[in-house]
Amino acid sequence: MSDQNRTEINKLGEFGLIDKIAEKFSKQNNSTHYAIGDDAAVIDVGDYYQLVSTDMLIEGVHFDLSYFPLHHLGFKAVAVNVSDIAAMNGIAEQITVSLALSNRFSLEAIDAFYEGVKAACDAYKVDLVGGDTTASPSGLMISVTAIGKVDKDKIAYRSGAKVNDIVCVTGDLGGAYMGLQVLEREKQVFLENPDMQPQLDKYQYIVGRQLKPEARMDLVHELLDLKIVPTSMIDISDGLASELHHIAKHSDVGINVHEDKLPFATNTQETALEFKLDPNTAILNGGEDYELLFTISQDDFEKVKNHPDIHFIGYVNEKSSGLNLVTTKGNPIPLKAQGWDHFS
Ligand code: ADP
Ligand code: MG
């Protein structure tokens, strides 16, 4: 190919690239109910939908083994995939785990990784049913696929949000991002002075959010018990702003979220200020919290209004009003999505 025909991937971005790939394919099987574009693919197997989601974790891009213990990495690799099944309001049942590894890794290292995989399998009640193992010229690459199921009338896509729905988010946001900042800083300190011990005590909560994220399967079960089907749902892997954009775009709606309703932990806020960062930047654009962002109909509000871990952060509006952050002073400002873009 001549250079004149060359389009740089970073011009398209991750989502532009995925759209280009998706354009080439049309479905050949009726069982393919929903293909590319949501947190998981949806396969019609008769009585229920089967859900399939896959994610890769690459050394040097998604994790740094100088501060990421292998057993935590094993847990996280499973949790982030289970989280995508949860984001469809589904329940994960099986996983496959594929590894490409260089000769830098010993049996003991791989054992530690699989201790984490096993802990996650136990925590989320999923079975490891296969995978692939191969050599890598350098570094570690992990690919996990999760398979789950959901009743046909309970599935939650990114696309179902309706005007007047309430926007909800679980847990607290921005912690995983601030945890990463701390780990990166301590790594630099260590590289400059190997006698220094990392100072992590003060940051235990946010470092835990980065190294030990949990998939919110608990919430999926709770919603099931409460007989609530979210009108739309997505998990927060790239950051709240980016995920709100996905819901707004797929649902063809506008959304207002309120600055004073955004949930964060004190540890996140204090650390952001210490790093001279606006805590809102971490909350809106920090990724990897793996909380669930969803919308519910106003009729369901009574059932969850006192829930300790669900936060009501805004409302769905007509598309024409756009996606906005309503500041504490009451001014709506358009919300930009700054998800992780590994290509830039
Ligand atoms: P998530 O952040 O929830 O894991 P992604 O942004 O990674 O979702 O992916 C969005 C959608 O694009 C998913 O349906 C995913 O399966 C699909 N996708 C991503 N990369 C590719 C690819 N290389 N080929 C086909 N589909 C892809
Ligand atoms: Mg997702």
Side-chain angles (χ1 to χ4, degrees), residues 244 254-259 313 315 317 320-327 331-335:
L244 284 166
I255 295 176
N256 274 8
V257 290
H258 294 259
E259 183 182 4
I313 62 171
Y315 292 97
N317 296 318
S320 56
S321 67
L323 173 56
N324 306 290
L325 176 71
V326 181
T327 64
N331 305 318
I333 49 169
L335 196 54

Side-chain angles (χ1 to χ4, degrees), residues 8-23:
E8 298 300 332
I9 300 285
N10 63 12
K11 282 241 159 60
L12 286 168
E14 179 185 348
F15 302 128
L17 176 63
I18 294 171
D19 287 346
K20 281 276 173 208
I21 295 169
E23 265 171 28

Side-chain angles (χ1 to χ4, degrees), residues 161 165-169 173 232 234 236 239-248 253-263 280 283-285 292-295 311-318 321-337:
D165 282 354
I166 301 168
V167 182
C168 312
V169 72
L173 302 176
S232 69
I234 190 168
I236 303 183
L240 179 66
S242 170
E243 316 304 357
L244 284 166
H245 266 277
H246 286 309
I247 294 223
V253 293
I255 295 176
N256 274 8
V257 290
H258 294 259
E259 183 182 4
D260 58 354
K261 302 282 185 212
L262 301 178
N280 278 334
I283 295 164
L284 290 163
N285 299 320
L292 290 171
L293 169 68
F294 58 103
T295 53
H311 308 279
F312 308 101
I313 62 171
Y315 292 97
V316 178
N317 296 318
E318 298 290 350
S321 67
L323 173 56
N324 306 290
L325 176 71
V326 181
T327 64
T328 314
K329 289 187 177 140
N331 305 318
I333 49 169
L335 196 54
K336 287 201 237 68

Side-chain angles (χ1 to χ4, degrees), residues 21-39:
I21 295 169
E23 265 171 28
K24 285 196 203 305
F25 295 85
S26 54
K27 85 174 183 184
Q28 311 199 53
N29 296 291
N30 278 335
S31 53
T32 306
H33 187 68
Y34 190 92
I36 297 170
D38 217 300
D39 292 288

Side-chain angles (χ1 to χ4, degrees), residues 203-222:
Y203 310 104
Q204 223 171 18
Y205 179 72
I206 54 174
V207 166
R209 295 288 285 168
Q210 170 61 218
L211 299 181
K212 299 184 288 183
E214 290 280 356
R216 296 307 305 260
M217 239 16 263
D218 57 327
L219 187 94
V220 174
H221 288 291
E222 275 188 61

Side-chain angles (χ1 to χ4, degrees), residues 141-157:
M141 294 170 225
I142 306 155
S143 172
V144 177
T145 297
I147 301 165
K149 69 200 287 197
V150 59
D151 286 345
K152 288 184 172 178
D153 58 353
K154 300 205 173 66
I155 191 162
Y157 294 100

